[in-house]
Amino acid sequence: MTDLEIVLITGMSGSGKSVALHALEDAGYYCVDNLPPELLADFVRLQHVHHGNRVAIAIDARSAAGLPDLPRELEKLQRLKASGVHLHVLFLDASTSTLVRRFSETRRRHPLSQSKLPDGRQALVQIIEQERELLGDLREYAHVIDTSNIRGSQLQSYVKALIQAPANQMTLVFQSFGFKHGIPVDADYVFDVRMLPNPYYDLELRPLTGMDEPVQRFLRQQPDAAAMQTHIAQFLDHWLPALNANHRSYVTVAIGCTGGQHRSVYLVEQLAQRYQAQWTTLRRHREMDSRGPAAAAPVPEAPQLL
């Protein structure tokens, strides 16, 4: 019997679960959407015996009645590692304002709404907060991905990178971001580096990023930048072994500057390089999608994540 890789996709309605599921389907996973939680164990058993070795399952608030029992079912699956069952749980989230905008722009009803929404936004906000409470326990079992400010193509890349990481060791995710576009809700730790000298004020460095050598050279010459990198590393050196011993699958370290283009990008690159020999390490630069650094603003494509 071959090993079985399971990816469970869950999270807030409108956060992009269908996009994530399509990415997994493209990667060769057998995908099931909206599986009732009470059928999870039987479905996994059937797949392990009769079908392929890679399965992706979406479970969310559409199956609200069965959600209270889902954390217990996930604990059972996590104990099956010795039997060749490996579980990744991904929770997609977004800010309430982003979710409201997506539902409003697509004119789709929230799956928890029992009738047409009165008063529009106010009622929708209440439903979204109810859903957050309903999914709160499940969120604790998962690696969280904040889709508030990313495009569908970025989400697909994030998901594919996560499932390629070894399932039997902790994955360390370093993420740069710009404070002016909001703090990522998926971060386990957030470090503010806005007090460091800013390459933005050098007209030659302004159009570049922290991945370019001139910006890196500028920041390497700043004692405060070196001190910040050392202090973050000291914190991680102390706590990462404890997180690993606590069976954490993913840890996200977010580093933010003003625009998410220079200082935070530089430090993410430096820290990822430092830890990649010790941990499975991923790098994300939230404000630098396929359109380059200028893509930092919320993008029109976002509603397609519904």
Side-chain angles (χ1 to χ4, degrees):
M1 187 179 296
T2 59
D3 286 359
L4 176 62
E5 296 284 342
I6 304 171
V7 181
L8 178 67
I9 302 289
T10 187
M12 299 295 293
S13 302
S15 60
K17 294 187 296 296
S18 61
V19 173
L21 208 60
H22 289 155
L24 292 168
E25 188 174 26
D26 290 343
Y29 281 72
Y30 179 75
C31 296
V32 177
D33 190 17
N34 197 22
L35 182 74
E38 54 269 28
L39 298 181
L40 178 61
D42 290 338
F43 178 78
V44 169
R45 192 178 304 112
L46 179 66
Q47 287 296 122
H48 203 187
V49 174
H50 296 295
H51 297 282
N53 61 349
R54 297 196 294 177
V55 180
I57 304 167
I59 299 178
D60 51 43
R62 291 171 292 178
S63 301
L67 286 178
D69 295 328
L70 186 54
R72 185 163 54 251
E73 296 300 321
L74 294 181
E75 289 180 353
K76 292 179 183 178
L77 290 179
Q78 288 171 336
R79 290 196 292 266
L80 292 177
K81 286 184 179 180
S83 302
V85 176
H86 305 287
L87 176 66
H88 300 268
V89 185
L90 305 182
F91 188 105
L92 306 190
D93 202 352
S95 66
T96 298
S97 60
T98 298
L99 295 175
V100 168
R101 188 184 75 246
R102 290 175 182 170
F103 276 104
S104 299
E105 291 180 357
T106 59
R107 299 186 180 276
R108 290 182 57 183
R109 287 176 54 191
H110 193 284
L112 292 185
S113 63
Q114 299 301 315
S115 60
K116 291 185 178 180
L117 296 176
D119 299 330
R121 180 183 177 88
Q122 182 178 357
L124 183 54
V125 168
Q126 293 175 353
I127 292 173
I128 289 171
E129 294 308 316
Q130 291 173 3
E131 184 180 29
R132 286 197 193 282
E133 184 175 353
L134 180 66
L135 297 174
D137 290 341
L138 188 55
R139 196 179 195 274
E140 299 301 316
Y141 287 82
H143 173 65
V144 181
I145 302 177
D146 180 7
T147 71
S148 301
N149 292 295
I150 66 175
R151 314 181 96 211
S153 57
Q154 279 181 286
L155 176 57
Q156 290 178 330
S157 297
Y158 288 178
V159 170
K160 289 178 180 178
L162 287 167
I163 63 174
Q164 290 170 0
N168 59 351
Q169 58 182 274
M170 188 172 73
T171 297
L172 186 56
V173 181
F174 287 102
Q175 176 172 262
S176 68
F177 72 95
F179 272 95
K180 69 180 182 179
H181 303 297
I183 298 175
V185 301
D186 53 0
D188 295 296
Y189 300 103
V190 176
F191 295 95
D192 183 353
V193 301
R194 286 175 292 182
M195 74 292 294
L196 301 181
N198 193 350
Y200 177 86
Y201 295 110
D202 185 320
L203 294 180
E204 293 184 358
L205 300 180
R206 180 175 298 182
L208 304 179
T209 77
M211 300 179 70
D212 294 315
E213 173 57 28
V215 173
Q216 294 176 358
R217 184 168 58 250
F218 171 87
L219 290 169
R220 281 196 301 265
Q221 295 171 352
Q222 308 302 322
D224 283 348
M228 177 64 76
Q229 181 178 332
T230 298
H231 293 159
I232 295 174
Q234 288 173 341
F235 177 88
L236 296 177
D237 287 343
H238 182 86
W239 290 110
L240 288 179
L243 290 166
N244 187 51
N246 198 40
H247 306 292
R248 286 289 296 272
S249 298
Y250 306 96
V251 175
T252 300
V253 179
I255 301 176
C257 58
T258 304
Q261 180 176 332
H262 297 105
R263 295 163 291 181
S264 60
V265 172
Y266 168 78
L267 284 170
V268 160
E269 291 294 319
Q270 297 302 306
L271 289 164
Q273 184 175 0
R274 173 190 174 106
Y275 286 99
Q276 64 187 6
Q278 184 179 3
W279 306 97
T280 300
T281 303
L282 301 177
R283 312 173 192 197
R284 298 178 187 164
H285 299 297
R286 192 184 72 180
E287 321 302 2
M288 296 170 55
D289 65 9
S290 59
R291 297 179 302 157
V299 295
E301 186 183 342
Q304 296 181 15
L305 288 175
L306 268 171

